[in-house]
Amino acid sequence: MREQQMASTQSGLRIQGDDNLQSMFVGAVMRKIKSRTWKKQRYFRLQEDCMTIWYKSKKAGNAHSTFSVSDVEAVREGHQSEVLLSISDEFPPNRCFTLVFRGRRGNLDLVADSAEEAQSWIKGMRKLIENVENMGQREKLDQWICDWFKKADKNKDGRMNFKEVQDLLKMMNVDMNEHHALRLFTMADKSQTGSLEGDEFVLFYKMLTQREDVVRIFQDYSGDGQKLTLHDLEDFLREEQLETEAVQQRALELIERYEPSDTAKMLQAMSIDGFLMYLGSAEGSIFDPQHQGVYQDMTLPLCHYFISSSHNTYLLEDQLRGHSSVEGYIRALKRGCRCVEVDCWDGPNGEPIVYHGHTFTSKILFKDVVIALGSYAFKVSEYPVILSIENHCSVEQQRVMAQHLNQILGDMLLKSTVDGNTTNSFPSPEELKGRILLKGKKIGGLEASMSGVVEDSLTEEVSDEDEGADIDEDNHHNDSIRRRTKKSKQHLSKELSDFVVYCKSVHFNGFKHSRNHAKFYEISSFTESKARKYMREAGAEFVCHNARQLSRIYPSGLRTDSSNFNPQDMWSVGCQIVALNFQTAGVEMDLNDGLFSQNGHCGYILKPEFMRSAERGFDPDHPQNHDGYQPLKLSIQVISGQQLPKVNIKEGSIVDPLVRVEIYGVPLDHAKQETRYIDNNGFNPVWYDTLSFTIHTPELALVRFVVEDYDKTSKNDFVGQYTLPFLCIQQGYRHIQLLSRDGTSIPPSSLFVNIRITKIT
C-alpha cells in the first residue's frame, strides 16, 4: 500500500505543484542552533505522509529523530528567538527561522544554507500547519490510522502480515487474544493474500474500533436498527441530550453536517457512521460550544473579573538556576495570560535587566521583554495586559525603564485615566482593550498625578513582593531580618511612577484599614500563606475587599522548584490576580487552563454576581447562607475510553485504566471519586460506572477528569486529563477529548460519558 494513498485525505495539499514541499521532500542540511557555541549540522527531510519531519546527524550511524507537523504551532522568520539573536552577527536573518512547538517543549532554531532554502522551509511548514488545522475529524482519524500503519509496517513493503498486526495491537494498547485477532485479520483480508494493504487495513481498524457502546444507544432509538429517521434523532436529542429549542431544525442541521452518506441525507436520516461523527464532534463534546466565544459582559469594573496571571514569567524552569527567557512571556501571552511579571535589577551599560534576584538564574534585558510584550500582548486576546513590576532598580535605570516602555509600546501603554479624570471605580476590560497597564509603586495618588503636583524621586516602601522577605515570613523565623526588609525604603523615578495609573502597589494593613482608607486603584500582593491566613480568619471580608479592589496572590518564595498552589482556593474569596508558574505543568495549571478555557480564552472571567457586592459578603465556608443558594446533583456515568495513550514504554506493557473525577470549588464542594480499573485495555476500555456529587456553589466549581494507569505496587501513572468549569458542561452523551500533562491535545484519546445535572430540593 502506498502511504500517500492513505494520507490522500489531505487532498488540500496539491503536492506535485508545490515547489516548497517538493524541496522539503528532497531535504536540506541546516544548522541546528542551541547557543552561540552549540551549532550542529543536521539533515532535515519531509516524509511522504506530509505530516512528519525526519532529521539526523550528518555523522555516520543510524540515529535519527522525527517530529510531527501537528506538534508545531508556528514558524517565526528571521532572528525571532533569543538564541538566533545571539548569533545575529554570524548569520543573516533571511537564512534563519524558528519552529515553535505546542506546550512546554523548547523551540527549534535553524539556519539554512541560503535565503531561498529558508523561504522554502518557512512557506512549506506554514502550508503544512495550515493544512493540519483545516483537517476535518475524519481526516484526522485517517491520518492517525496511517501513522500506526507506518509504525507497524516494519519491512516497509506497504502491506502488513499477521505478525506485524499483532505487534501493532500491542503498540496500540490492545490486549487481544490471538484467535480473535486472527479472525478480524482474515475477515479484513478480502484479497486473501495473507497480508493487509490500503483499504483492507482501514477495514481491519474499523472492525477493531467498533463502538458497541454507541451502537447500543443508536439501536435504542432506531426503529429498524439501520438508521435514525428525523423523528428518531429528534427523540434522542430531546430525551438524552436535553435539547429544547427548535429540535427538528437542529436534527436536520446535524444530518447535513455529519452524515457521510448522500442517500441517508436525502432520506433525512442518520446512519451509525453519522451518529458517531456527531458524538465525536465539538457539538457532541462535554464543553458547551455557546461558552467557547466571548459570552460574558465585559463592561463591568476590572475588579469584577478573574484575570489569568503568571508568576516569574521570565523563567522556563526552576527559581534557583533556571533559564530566564523572553520566550516565557511569549508562551504565557499565547496561552491567554493577561498579567505578567518582571523582576527588574540594575544591569551593565545602564540597561535594566530581568532575572530572579540573588539566584543563579540567567539574565535578560528589560528592553527585550517590552519588545516581546509589544509584539505578542494582543495576539490571542484584545483585553488589557497588566505588567506587574517588581522594581529593584536605581532611579537612573528606572528612568531608562520608563523610556523603553514609552518608546516601544507607544499608545498601547496606558499613561492616564481612560476618561481623563478620576472616578471612583475601575474602567472595564472593554474600555481598556488593547492597552497595557503598569502595576507598581507610585509616588502619591492618582488624583495628585492627574493634577500634575508630584515631586520627583520620593521614597516609598520597598515592593511588598520582595521574595527574600517572603522566605523568612513563610518560615516564621529570623524576625530582625524580616523587620529590616519590610522597613527599607526605595527611591522612585517620577517618569516610571507616572505610568502607574490603575494599579498602585501598596502594603496591606488589614481589611478594616482598607475599607476606611484605601483607594480603588490600590492593589496589594499576598503570598499564598498570607492569603490562606486571611481566608481562614475572614473569608467573607476578603470577598468584599475584592469587590472593591484588586488582589494579587503569588507562590511562596520557598517553592524554589517553581511548583504551584491550588488557585481555586484564592478564586473562592474573589482574588482576581492569582499568579501561577505557567512553566510548571500539573493539576494547578490544569485548573487555571480549565477556568480560562471559556469566554474566548480571553484571560478574563466575570466573577459570579454574589461576589461583586462590596457590602454583602459571600462566605465560601458557608455557601448555603447566600441568597439564591441552590445545590445541584451532578451524576456522571463513565461509559468508555478510546485509544488511550501508552504511558509505560516497557515492551508489551498495556494500560490498566481508571477514571477519577475531581471537583474543585468552595471547601464544601471539594470531592473525588473514581471508577474501578480495567485490566490490560487502553484501547477501548468499558466501565459503565456512575459517580455522583453534590455541588453547593456551581458558579465556582471546576470539574477535572483524570485517567490513570493503575499500579498496585506503586503510584499510578498519569495518562490524560480534561478540566472545565461546571457551568460549561453539556448534559447527555458526551465525549471528552483528553489532554496531556502539558495541556496539549492527544487525539484521538477520549472518554465517553453520560451526564445529568438535577436540582436538589
Side-chain angles (χ1 to χ4, degrees), residues 727-745:
L727 293 184
C728 294
I729 289 177
Q730 290 202 97
Q731 297 188 66
Y733 286 103
R734 301 293 170 190
H735 274 101
I736 298 168
Q737 303 300 328
L738 292 173
L739 302 175
S740 69
R741 189 183 292 285
D742 231 7
T744 54
S745 63

Side-chain angles (χ1 to χ4, degrees), residues 534-546:
Y534 290 125
M535 278 163 54
R536 279 194 307 273
E537 292 170 3
E541 272 198 89
F542 212 163
V543 173
C544 287
H545 172 84
N546 287 324

